[in-house]
Amino acid sequence: MSLAARLSWFFLAALAVVMAGFSVGLYLLARTYLYRQVDERLEAALDTLAAAAEVKADCLEWEPHERLLSLGREAGPDEVRWTVHDDRGRRVDGSRNLGAEDLPGQAPGAGDRGGHSVERAGEPWRVLWRRLLPAPGEPSDGKRREEQEPRGPTSPVYAALAITAGVSLRGVEGTLRTLALALAGLSAAVLAVAALLGRRLCRRALQPVQQMAEAARSMGAADLNARLPGAETGDELEDLRRAFNDLLGRLQEAFERQRRFTGDASHQLRTPLAVMLGQIEVALRRDRPAGEYREVLNVAHGQAHRLRQIVEMLLFLARADAEARLPHLERLDLASWVAGHLGQWSAHARGPDLRVVIPDGAPRWVLAQPALLGQLLDNLLENACKYSEPDTPITVRLGSEAGAVTLAVEDAGLGISSEDMPHLFEPFYRSAEARRLGRAGVGLGLAVARRIAGAFGGTLEAHSEPGRGSRFVLRLPGSPAPEGAPATAPAT
């Protein structure tokens, strides 16, 4: 079932529940109101009949020939019918529209008053009754009237009277049936209209989703520039389309970067191989002295060493981010480690230019792998040596900030232009100025350094101004010092 159908059925079911509740509630209110109106009519009729009886201290009198009641003269089906019975259950009087018949369900002995709904001639009736008793008190002569004047069959004097009033509920039930049919028809019409309009609106609202699905199915691996279509509706569907198009844009950028990476890698690998093959082919053209063979071997060795470095860096960069995150790290005092590692640079031509600055001399503990950390620092130092003049200082500065340990490499060299800064850590990227000056390199050192920093859970940032040098800052998460560790770093 489609999403439009599910939404239509859901809202249709909710509307059906609402309409059913409204219809049942309205029907019950109307039924209660109509039945209350009937009871009020019957109570008014009983009040009229009770007023027609003469209530005395010891008896009741009912004289139908002297009191002509207009109640019950009309013979309509909705008119009130009434009867009067004595305490022995004999009929004393009745309404003209009732004739000699009796009201159904009469039960004058069930209490002083009451009412119920009964069936009469296949029709529902509502019947109320009330019992009339003499007024409390004794006659003035101390004798009861019934003892002084015995009652006959036609005597108008009675010890008690039961008056009953009833009315047919055919009109009320007919009105309720009409109301029920009207509510059912109205609900069905509303549900039908809601089903048609809801289905159409759902299809129209979800049409952008269908268009995006069709466009996504038609996209191929070569359609990197394709994007999902959609109108500017300003709703969640537009947000979905924009988010998916942004994802496609990032994928396109990743593919383009991977394509450039592959092309640059093949170029960088082809160059040392071409040099090696050229040297070997020249050496094999004729017999040569041992010294010339040694020179060719030295060139081939150097190109092979360069080729090995390129391959190792390419393999490292080709790892996924999850694989590049290293599981086994050592706790190092970065201050002591930097001092020891820079000792390996003492024989370098720029060794005298290196400076180490530890502001407070305190140990700074991090989790890292010494070999990879050494490669990261060497890459930063080689970059500083490459783009700064001899006899200019190269400073390695340690610091701390917000739970992190910082290691900065600063030089006073050429600097980096603002156009080159966004691409500085991309593999094989070399600035136009570096190529113009003929600086050696393949453009992998900074990319590898940033990947190593990410593997340690840290970051590597660059700050530079053209003509004033560059500053590369490595931030690594700080680690608690092991037990028994010295409080200060060794002097350098």
Side-chain angles (χ1 to χ4, degrees), residues 174-229:
T175 301
L176 291 177
R177 283 195 299 271
T178 302
L179 177 61
L181 292 175
L183 290 175
L186 180 62
S187 299
V190 171
L191 289 177
V193 173
L196 294 176
L197 293 180
R199 180 74 171 177
R200 183 175 180 181
L201 290 177
C202 286
R203 285 183 175 179
R204 185 175 180 181
L206 296 176
Q207 187 177 4
V209 177
Q210 185 177 1
Q211 294 176 352
M212 288 188 287
E214 293 176 355
R217 282 192 292 266
S218 64
M219 291 180 183
D223 300 329
L224 297 179
N225 295 324
R227 296 294 184 270
L228 297 182

Side-chain angles (χ1 to χ4, degrees), residues 404-435:
V405 177
T406 62
L407 186 153
V409 177
E410 305 169 357
D411 64 67
L414 302 176
I416 305 169
S417 65
S418 58
E419 293 80 5
D420 296 327
M421 287 296 293
H423 310 285
L424 193 62
F425 295 99
E426 293 180 3
F428 300 108
Y429 179 79
R430 302 192 67 206
S431 66
E433 183 67 14
R435 291 193 298 270

Side-chain angles (χ1 to χ4, degrees), residues 288-318:
R288 298 177 182 273
E292 293 183 7
Y293 286 120
R294 185 178 297 275
E295 291 178 2
V296 172
L297 290 176
N298 287 333
V299 172
H301 180 267
Q303 294 299 325
H305 180 71
R306 179 186 178 191
L307 186 62
R308 183 180 63 83
Q309 290 182 334
I310 294 175
V311 170
E312 289 179 353
M313 288 187 288
L314 288 176
L315 290 176
F316 184 82
L317 291 174

Side-chain angles (χ1 to χ4, degrees), residues 11 16 64 74 78 87 91 100 133 136 138 148 180 198 226-227 254 262 266 284 330 363 397 408 421 450 483:
F11 287 111
E74 301 293 334
D78 296 332
D87 55 342
R91 178 170 174 170
L133 299 175
E138 295 292 333
Q148 296 175 358
R227 296 294 184 270
T262 304
S266 62
L284 293 176
E330 300 179 13
R397 189 184 306 273
M421 287 296 293
R450 169 166 281 191
E483 297 181 1

Side-chain angles (χ1 to χ4, degrees), residues 20 30 35 54 63 90-91 125 167 174 182 213 221 226-227 233 271 300 333 361 378 395 423 432 480:
Y35 272 81
E54 184 176 353
E63 299 177 348
R90 295 177 300 182
R91 178 170 174 170
W125 277 69
V167 67
R227 296 294 184 270
T233 57
T271 300
D333 175 13
D378 289 342
T395 304
H423 310 285

Side-chain angles (χ1 to χ4, degrees), residues 356-443:
V356 179
V357 177
I358 304 176
D360 52 8
R364 287 168 173 80
W365 295 93
V366 296
L367 292 176
Q369 278 192 352
L372 287 179
L373 186 59
Q375 183 180 354
L376 186 155
L377 182 56
D378 289 342
N379 289 354
L380 296 181
L381 292 174
E382 288 176 0
N383 186 77
C385 294
K386 188 184 302 181
Y387 295 102
S388 64
E389 298 298 330
D391 299 329
T392 59
I394 298 176
T395 304
V396 179
R397 189 184 306 273
L398 297 182
S400 302
E401 56 178 41
V405 177
T406 62
L407 186 153
V409 177
E410 305 169 357
D411 64 67
L414 302 176
I416 305 169
S417 65
S418 58
E419 293 80 5
D420 296 327
M421 287 296 293
H423 310 285
L424 193 62
F425 295 99
E426 293 180 3
F428 300 108
Y429 179 79
R430 302 192 67 206
S431 66
E433 183 67 14
R435 291 193 298 270
R436 186 183 65 83
L437 296 175
R439 306 294 185 180
V442 294

